[in-house]
Amino acid sequence: MMKLSVKLKDVLKQRNMTQLELSKKANVRQAAISELCRNERQEINLEQMERIADALGISDIGELLQFEKS
């Protein structure tokens, strides 16, 4: 079975950006950013992901999400 994984923690590290900075730039609660970084969310809000991708300058969703074997 495949599991969808959020790679936000790695993306933030690559861009030398904190969760708080992203939270302000994307207008997404810092707690939600933290949960996404830890892959603790069972559901992903597409609007939030769009704002996060826009704030990070990402046009390829593969930079943020990937499938992993569970």
Side-chain angles (χ1 to χ4, degrees):
M1 182 173 171
M2 300 297 276
K3 176 184 174 188
L4 188 61
S5 175
V6 180
K7 303 186 294 184
L8 187 54
K9 184 176 182 178
D10 295 334
V11 173
L12 287 175
K13 185 180 263 189
Q14 291 169 354
R15 286 172 169 71
N16 198 27
M17 182 182 280
T18 67
Q19 293 178 14
L20 186 57
E21 290 170 331
L22 177 59
S23 172
K24 290 177 181 178
K25 194 170 182 180
N27 194 27
V28 174
R29 290 181 315 110
Q30 194 274 329
I33 301 285
S34 178
E35 290 170 354
L36 286 168
C37 285
R38 294 189 316 264
N39 277 294
E40 290 184 347
R41 306 242 22 206
Q42 294 298 315
E43 296 179 1
I44 297 175
N45 181 308
L46 293 179
E47 186 180 327
Q48 284 182 347
M49 291 304 290
E50 289 170 353
R51 290 196 311 260
I52 289 169
D54 187 51
L56 293 169
I58 291 175
S59 59
D60 179 359
I61 197 65
E63 288 186 58
L64 279 177
L65 303 171
Q66 73 179 16
F67 280 114
E68 297 177 342
K69 290 185 179 182
S70 58

